């Protein structure tokens, strides 16, 4: 929907996609199929929406900007498969969108200022999500996909990789947007996964990972000082706590958190 009358709002992270090649590449990556249930976060001026709404899919869109929501509602008022939610995606109940029999495919060129909290918000709805395709800052995609031992590996990598397979797809130059952002972007595909060994206490797992990465140069033992104080001495015997957190794989973090949790 080309629209020269809309003034992009910085506070809503509005950088609109204007490059048709990139738009088509994203749609090909998502590859919507007849009958699927799609959810687009931040449809904006409809660069992606236009391609998603015409696929005989149910399409729910979540937009915070009232001006844009009105334009979209007018535009798609005759499409029975289109449903607009004028709400903050961070507060949206995505579980309420899903039917018990069909999981959601989530898509979004996300506002960069809320991308990390939004990812965490969406992970809470993992059981009703089939996959997610997001445009994010390239640096965030690097962190999401980072293996252990890499300088970009940290809390975000572990928490997201615990829940999802992470597949970086392609880089998007800033010239693909209007207004152009200052940084490069990238498309990532996230597919919820089920691990053979899961964490016994998800809140405690998050606390352990968080504590370890407060100061990533410190050893795991140092990072966990406060948590270890609450536990019996030598409650973890088979893990070298003298290592640095960035050397621990996601499975090792699961093992560590589960052992600590069991001795509480
Ligand atoms: N999808 C469009 C495109 O690709 O051109 C717009 C992308 S723009 C980067 C981000 C969009 O998310 C804007 O439409 C903005 O108004 C919307 N947005 C920002 N914060 C939001 C929030 N908390 N909840 C829902 N939508 C939000």
């Amino acid at each position: 929907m080309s629209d020269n009358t809309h003034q992009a709002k910085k506070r809503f992270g509005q950088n609109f996609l204007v490059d048709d090649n990139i738009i088509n590449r994203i749609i090909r990556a998502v590859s919507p199929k007849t009958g699927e249930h799609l959810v687009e976060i931040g449809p904006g001026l409809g660069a992606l929406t236009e391609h998603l709404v015409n696929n005989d899919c149910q399409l729910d869109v979540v937009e915070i900007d009232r001006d844009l929501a009105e334009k979209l509602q007018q535009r798609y008022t005759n499409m029975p498969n289109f449903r607009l939610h004028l709400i903050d995606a961070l507060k949206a109940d995505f579980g309420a969108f899903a039917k018990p029999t069909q999981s959601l495919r989530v898509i979004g060129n996300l506002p960069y200022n809320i991308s990390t909290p939004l990812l965490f918000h969406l992970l809470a709805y993992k059981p009703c999500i089939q996959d997610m395709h997001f445009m994010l800052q390239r640096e965030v995609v690097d962190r999401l996909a980072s293996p252990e031992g890499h300088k970009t590996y940290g809390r975000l990598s572990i928490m997201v990789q615990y829940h999802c397979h992470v597949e970086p797809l392609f880089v998007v130059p800033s010239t693909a947007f209007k207004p152009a952002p200052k940084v490069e972007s990238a498309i990532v595909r996230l597919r919820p996964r089920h691990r053979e060994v899961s964490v016994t206490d998800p809140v405690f797992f998050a606390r352990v990972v968080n504590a370890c990465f407060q100061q990533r140069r410190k050893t795991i033992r140092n990072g966990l000082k406060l948590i270890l104080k609450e536990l019996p001495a030598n409650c973890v015997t088979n893990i070298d706590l003298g290592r640095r957190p960035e050397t621990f794989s996601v499975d090792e973090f699961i093992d560590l958190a589960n052992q600590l949790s069991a001795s509480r």
Side-chain angles (χ1 to χ4, degrees):
M1 175 163 55
S2 78
D3 184 332
N4 295 324
T5 63
H6 181 78
Q7 185 71 36
K9 294 172 189 152
K10 238 186 178 165
R11 70 178 185 285
F12 291 146
Q14 291 178 353
N15 300 97
F16 301 108
L17 267 171
V18 290
D19 182 326
D20 285 339
N21 285 330
I22 297 290
I23 293 168
N24 289 331
R25 237 178 130 184
I26 297 170
I27 299 299
R28 276 202 304 276
V30 177
S31 185
K33 313 272 183 317
T34 301
E36 287 181 336
H37 190 162
L38 314 177
V39 175
E40 188 188 1
I41 300 175
L45 291 167
L48 300 171
T49 324
E50 196 159 309
H51 299 264
L52 301 173
V53 78
N54 287 317
N55 269 293
D56 291 325
C57 297
Q58 167 64 36
L59 175 63
D60 284 63
V61 303
V62 178
E63 176 56 64
I64 200 170
D65 183 334
R66 186 173 294 275
D67 298 337
L68 293 175
E70 275 171 14
K71 287 177 203 275
L72 288 160
Q73 189 59 62
Q74 268 175 21
R75 180 158 204 221
Y76 298 121
T77 193
N78 293 326
M79 305 290 282
N81 61 328
F82 176 81
R83 200 160 48 184
L84 186 135
H85 307 265
L86 175 57
I87 39 169
D88 180 348
L90 287 170
K91 296 184 184 143
D93 178 359
F94 291 94
F97 294 176
K99 296 186 205 83
T101 49
Q102 194 178 34
S103 48
L104 305 173
R105 303 195 66 201
V106 183
I107 300 126
N109 172 9
L110 298 188
Y112 296 146
N113 51 341
I114 61 158
S115 60
T116 305
L118 192 52
L119 283 174
F120 281 101
H121 180 66
L122 283 160
L123 290 177
Y125 297 99
K126 174 177 152 183
C128 55
I129 293 178
Q130 178 183 328
D131 60 16
M132 304 183 262
H133 289 79
F134 293 130
M135 170 99 71
L136 299 166
Q137 262 176 270
R138 183 184 185 173
E139 177 241 315
V140 175
V141 171
D142 289 346
R143 287 201 280 141
L144 289 177
S146 184
E148 69 267 22
H150 203 270
K151 66 176 188 309
T152 49
Y153 183 71
R155 172 179 170 256
L156 188 64
S157 332
I158 294 159
M159 297 310 291
V160 173
Q161 287 173 27
Y162 172 69
H163 291 285
C164 298
H165 294 284
V166 179
E167 204 183 329
L169 297 181
F170 55 91
V171 171
V172 178
S174 53
T175 50
F177 304 88
K178 207 169 164 190
K182 291 201 180 72
V183 291
E184 265 184 335
S185 305
I187 300 287
V188 67
R189 178 184 290 140
L190 305 176
R191 280 181 300 118
R193 63 182 292 172
H194 300 283
R195 289 188 170 267
E196 268 172 39
V197 180
S198 52
V199 296
T200 48
D201 180 342
V203 175
F204 185 68
F205 176 67
R207 190 177 156 213
V208 167
V209 174
N210 226 355
C212 289
F213 282 96
Q214 285 294 320
Q215 283 161 299
R216 56 186 298 133
R217 293 275 140 227
K218 287 193 172 175
T219 62
I220 290 270
R221 183 179 289 103
N222 245 317
L224 291 179
K225 214 183 230 163
L226 289 177
I227 292 177
L228 290 172
K229 244 190 220 167
E230 300 164 9
L231 302 176
N234 300 326
C235 58
V236 175
T237 51
N238 62 340
I239 298 176
D240 177 5
L241 300 181
R243 283 164 54 194
R244 283 191 175 160
E246 71 258 29
T247 69
F248 268 53
S249 67
V250 178
D251 283 328
E252 285 178 304
F253 267 110
I254 297 169
D255 187 23
L256 172 66
N258 284 352
Q259 287 195 41
L260 293 172
S261 179
S263 57
R264 283 195 299 164

